[in-house]
């Protein structure tokens, strides 16, 4: 589509509206003209099939995006209601730390394994509401390839799937009357977990505002190979130290911390330069072989 410089349908228009149909008509007409000028031999039936396929694809993508936006807006509205009505109580990370140490309240960590394995609160229980998708079927592999190509290589964001055993696993560990603190990395998935628990009959649910990432070092007793603040990052950006969390950490740690990532950056530049020179030498060598 980009090579033909086609107009793009407005993603905010309902697919059934007259304005949407007019815009779709203009787009398909443009596509028909472009194909005719490019080939001069394209049959009318081929053009019709192509333009119908393009319009259908665009409409499906639009419907999916709008549905996701509506679902997220509805979920946030429900979660705000739970907090406003007091069905879910709000705690700061420091207050959660006090509640764990002084009142012996359990902490339910609902993060995926990719975050949990890096750092966790000492003594916390782990039941992920979403976990890393480890299946190797064609659909999952396609999602992983697409995610990697669309920026996953830089951010390290994993493909997650809903844990269908979440509620049953929590019910095995905690009775319905338990005063339970629920936390994730940034505070969003834990709100979804709180809603599920409230609907399942739990009455004493506490939510850690801002997630574990917002906790200071003295707020919670932690274990693991990294600070809690860095458990949610990954990819090449983490390797180079180019995330907001790592910049904040560097401000605390000083130049020693920064030098590690500076050395990595120079290493990447040298490796890229070596590959470029190697490719040049290989090209010259191939040309010489062809000349002989």
């Amino acid at each position: 589509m980009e090579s033909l410089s086609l107009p793009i349908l407005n993603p905010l228009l309902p697919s059934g509206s007259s304005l949407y149909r007019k815009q779709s008509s203009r787009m398909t007409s443009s596509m028909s003209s472009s194909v005719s000028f490019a080939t001069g031999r394209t049959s009318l039936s081929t053009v019709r099939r192509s333009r119908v396929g393009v319009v259908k694809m665009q409409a499906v993508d639009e419907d999916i995006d709008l549905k996701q936006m509506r679902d997220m807006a509805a979920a946030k509205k429900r979660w705000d209601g739970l907090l406003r009505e007091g069905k879910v109580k709000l705690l700061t990370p420091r207050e959660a730390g006090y509640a764990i140490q002084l009142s012996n309240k359990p902490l339910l960590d609902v993060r995926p394994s990719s975050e949990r394995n890096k750092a966790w609160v000492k003594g916390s229980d782990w039941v992920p509401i979403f976990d890393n998708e480890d299946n190797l079927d064609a659909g999952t592999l396609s999602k992983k390839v697409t995610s990697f190509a669309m920026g996953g290589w830089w951010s390290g964001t994993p493909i997650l799937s809903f844990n269908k055993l979440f509620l049953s696993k929590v019910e095995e560990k905690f009775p319905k009357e338990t005063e339970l603190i629920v936390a994730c990395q940034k505070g969003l998935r834990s709100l979804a977990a709180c809603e599920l628990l409230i609907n399942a009959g739990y009455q004493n649910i506490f939510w850690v505002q801002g997630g574990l990432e917002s906790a200071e070092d003295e707020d919670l007793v932690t274990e693991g190979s990294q600070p809690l603040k860095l458990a949610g990052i990954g990819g090449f950006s983490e390797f180079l130290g180019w995330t907001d969390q790592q910049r904040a950490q560097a401000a605390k740690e000083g130049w020693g911390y920064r030098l590690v990532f500076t050395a990595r950056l120079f290493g990447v530049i040298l490796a890229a330069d070596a590959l470029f020179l190697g490719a040049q030498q290989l090209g010259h060598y191939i040309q010489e072989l062809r000349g002989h």
Side-chain angles (χ1 to χ4, degrees):
M1 291 174 59
E2 292 179 0
S3 62
L4 297 177
S5 301
L6 298 182
I8 304 300
L9 287 176
N10 188 341
L12 298 181
L13 292 178
S15 59
S17 66
S18 59
L19 185 56
Y20 179 92
R21 290 194 295 270
K22 290 179 181 178
Q23 193 173 2
S24 300
S25 177
R26 289 196 299 269
M27 188 189 75
T28 51
S29 297
S30 175
M31 186 193 70
S32 176
S33 300
S34 301
V35 171
S36 297
F37 282 119
T39 65
R41 296 186 301 271
T42 305
S43 66
L44 182 60
S45 60
T46 302
V47 172
R48 286 175 178 172
R49 287 196 298 269
S50 299
R51 70 186 186 186
V52 168
V54 170
V55 172
K56 285 184 177 179
M57 186 185 304
Q58 190 75 31
V60 168
D61 290 342
E62 176 189 275
D63 289 343
I64 292 174
D65 291 341
L66 288 176
K67 184 178 185 302
Q68 290 177 342
M69 292 172 60
R70 286 195 297 266
D71 290 346
M72 180 55 67
K76 287 183 177 180
K77 186 176 180 180
R78 294 196 308 271
W79 298 339
D80 289 342
L82 291 175
L83 293 169
R84 186 172 56 253
E85 296 167 9
K87 294 180 179 180
V88 174
K89 291 83 172 176
L90 186 151
L91 294 177
T92 65
R94 178 164 297 183
E95 290 170 339
Y98 290 148
I100 293 169
Q101 295 178 36
L102 302 179
S103 303
N104 202 29
K105 286 184 173 63
L107 173 67
L108 176 63
D109 186 342
V110 300
R111 297 176 299 163
S113 56
S114 56
E115 298 173 358
R116 168 77 181 190
N117 292 339
K118 295 179 181 178
W120 60 91
V121 177
K122 185 177 181 180
S124 61
D125 291 274
W126 177 57
V127 182
I129 183 171
F130 296 95
D131 205 0
N132 297 67
E133 183 62 79
D134 296 326
N135 293 332
L136 297 178
D137 58 90
T140 302
L141 289 175
S142 176
K143 290 179 182 178
K144 289 184 177 182
V145 170
T146 302
S147 175
F148 183 84
M150 296 298 290
W153 65 274
W154 177 256
S155 65
T157 304
I159 299 296
L160 302 177
S161 60
F162 177 69
N163 180 11
K164 297 179 181 179
L165 300 177
F166 173 73
L167 273 178
S168 61
K169 292 292 185 182
V170 174
E171 290 171 345
E172 289 177 6
K173 291 175 176 287
F174 305 106
K176 296 292 178 66
E177 64 273 10
T178 304
E179 293 185 337
L180 188 59
I181 302 172
V182 184
C184 65
Q185 188 66 22
K186 296 179 180 293
L188 190 61
R189 287 169 295 193
S190 53
L191 267 177
C194 288
E195 181 182 24
L196 288 177
L197 294 172
I198 289 293
N199 292 338
Y202 286 86
Q203 299 298 322
N204 299 297
I205 298 297
F206 298 82
W207 170 64
V208 179
Q209 184 182 27
L212 299 177
E213 187 174 293
S214 64
E216 300 299 330
D217 294 339
E218 64 274 10
D219 291 344
L220 299 162
V221 180
T222 64
E223 296 178 322
S225 60
Q226 297 188 22
L228 277 175
K229 289 181 178 293
L230 305 184
I233 62 177
F236 200 54
S237 60
E238 178 187 16
F239 177 78
L240 294 177
W242 285 2
T243 65
D244 293 338
Q245 296 88 334
Q246 288 169 301
R247 292 190 187 99
Q249 191 73 14
K252 294 181 180 180
E253 300 288 342
W255 283 104
Y257 186 86
R258 295 177 183 178
L259 285 174
V260 172
F261 296 103
T262 302
R264 290 183 181 181
L265 176 59
F266 278 113
V268 170
I269 293 173
L270 290 174
D273 191 47
L275 287 173
F276 177 73
L277 292 176
Q280 281 187 325
Q281 293 296 326
L282 180 60
H284 293 321
Y285 179 70
I286 292 174
Q287 286 181 349
E288 290 178 1
L289 289 178
R290 288 178 177 177
H292 293 299

